[in-house]
Amino acid sequence: RGFQFNAEGKPKPAIGPTIDLLRSDPHTTDWQMALWFVTPTSWLGGIRPVDLLDDDPDAVINTARREVSDLAG
């Protein structure tokens, strides 16, 4: 199942901005990005970003922004 796509087969709105943010860390691989979406995070109260792509896409984008900022230190 392609969690990143909507019913019409197009990327969900949060996917592009989230990937752009995660890619801004030069050490993040494609596999790490894929895992990021399906791994629970404390920024979302233990929820996986993939579970909020439809209901709260802004939370997914903001979480990626926070995590990248934390990595940048």
Side-chain angles (χ1 to χ4, degrees):
R1 180 183 131 146
F3 68 81
Q4 68 273 32
F5 301 109
N6 64 19
E8 291 81 36
K10 297 183 181 187
K12 293 181 179 180
I15 294 295
T18 301
I19 288 175
D20 289 344
L21 285 162
L22 296 173
R23 278 202 177 131
S24 70
D25 174 7
H27 303 291
T28 302
T29 67
D30 290 345
W31 279 110
Q32 288 169 319
M33 276 191 280
L35 287 173
W36 182 87
F37 281 99
V38 297
T39 302
T41 176
S42 60
W43 289 110
L44 296 172
I47 296 171
R48 303 176 314 161
V50 68
D51 296 326
L52 294 177
L53 284 174
D54 292 325
D55 296 332
D56 198 352
D58 289 335
V60 175
I61 295 166
N62 290 331
T63 298
R65 183 175 293 116
R66 288 179 188 143
E67 291 193 13
V68 169
S69 293
D70 274 1
L71 291 174

